[in-house]
Amino acid sequence: HDENVQKVVKRLKQRNPKKDGLVCTARKPWIAVGMRNVDYKRARRFEVDLSALRNILEIDAERMVARVESLVSMAQITKATCPMNLSLAVAPELDDLTVGGLINGYGISGSSHVYGLFSDTVVSMEVVLADGQVVRATMDNEHSDLFYGMPWSQGTIGLLVSAEIRLVRVKEYMRLTYTPVRGTLKEIAEAYADSLFLPAKVPDFVEGMVYSSSEGVMMT
């Protein structure tokens, strides 16, 4: 990991700000998971290759955190943690979503009503700044402004190379309840909101599937 980070640092130090333009990752447009038009990369930009940063570095069951590189996907983490009866506190359901994309893009999940958005479960971030400096940002260290600034930044503040993400314990089985809903779209939306506050307890997971303008099902 450290060797790959140093390659990123070396690449950034080769940049001439007067002629090389703005920094961006070298990820190909067809790899992106989202609606953003990535034609901006065809303009005058200085590309940095982060493709090697796709490894799980550590699963710490004592601290309950996973230390992973920025291109690690949700599928990778799930495959590694579930046999240990662990899971990300917020685990978005699309396998191809990456840690870096979810942090920089402020990703969510069906369990976000319990733990917050994906970025709210981040313990620390390892970031390479434009001048090649490598810093570790947490909510209360000298780089806390970076820690709070990275989410929703779309990668414009620095290059995320790894992060520590909060884990929670999970069991082998779960109870899933399907509640059909029929009515207007407003009533379907109200049924989803009501699912978040069931009489017994707040459910760990809530998902709504809408089949038409008058029919859906809530899953808790």
Side-chain angles (χ1 to χ4, degrees):
H1 170 73
D2 291 339
E3 291 178 0
N4 286 328
V5 171
Q6 286 307 308
K7 290 178 182 177
V8 174
V9 172
K10 181 179 178 181
R11 171 64 175 160
L12 284 170
K13 290 185 175 180
Q14 294 171 348
R15 174 174 172 260
N16 183 338
K18 294 183 178 180
K19 68 176 184 178
D20 288 333
L22 301 176
V23 175
C24 71
T25 66
R27 186 176 65 172
K28 301 302 180 185
W30 57 269
I31 300 178
V33 180
M35 301 297 291
R36 184 183 183 190
N37 186 327
V38 290
D39 284 344
Y40 72 93
K41 288 192 176 183
R42 296 192 177 96
R44 186 169 63 90
R45 295 290 185 268
F46 186 82
E47 294 189 350
V48 180
D49 186 8
L50 303 181
S51 61
L53 299 170
R54 53 182 69 250
N55 301 293
I56 296 175
L57 303 175
E58 182 183 14
I59 304 295
D60 190 332
E62 290 188 10
R63 293 180 57 223
M64 292 294 286
V65 296
R67 181 169 174 253
V68 298
E69 294 179 326
S70 54
L71 289 183
V72 167
S73 69
M74 296 300 99
Q76 282 177 268
I77 299 179
T78 300
K79 186 176 181 180
T81 57
C82 277
M84 302 170 67
N85 283 60
L86 300 172
S87 170
L88 292 176
V90 174
E93 297 85 0
L94 296 179
D95 283 350
D96 292 336
L97 296 178
T98 63
V99 168
L102 288 163
I103 291 176
N104 286 307
Y106 232 62
I108 61 173
S109 178
S111 55
S112 289
H113 65 287
V114 178
Y115 299 104
L117 300 181
F118 187 87
S119 295
D120 296 320
T121 67
V122 176
V123 176
S124 71
M125 304 179 199
E126 184 184 11
V127 182
V128 183
L129 304 180
D131 62 357
Q133 183 183 4
V134 182
V135 300
R136 180 177 181 270
T138 69
M139 65 174 60
D140 54 9
N141 72 358
E142 68 271 28
H143 302 294
S144 60
D145 57 342
L146 186 64
F147 179 85
Y148 288 107
M150 287 289 286
W152 245 338
S153 70
Q154 304 296 328
T156 58
I157 296 178
L159 297 174
L160 183 72
V161 290
S162 76
E164 288 183 318
I165 315 296
R166 179 183 170 195
L167 297 171
V168 295
R169 300 197 183 279
V170 294
K171 297 180 179 180
E172 188 174 357
Y173 297 98
M174 66 179 180
R175 180 188 299 274
L176 182 61
T177 301
Y178 292 84
T179 304
V181 180
R182 293 179 175 85
T184 64
L185 284 176
K186 180 181 179 181
E187 290 170 328
I188 293 174
E190 289 173 345
Y192 178 83
D194 291 343
S195 298
L196 298 171
F197 305 102
L198 296 176
K201 64 182 288 288
V202 175
D204 296 310
F205 179 91
V206 177
E207 187 76 83
M209 184 73 73
V210 179
Y211 297 110
S212 70
S213 61
S214 60
E215 199 170 29
V217 63
M218 301 303 138
M219 295 163 280
T220 56

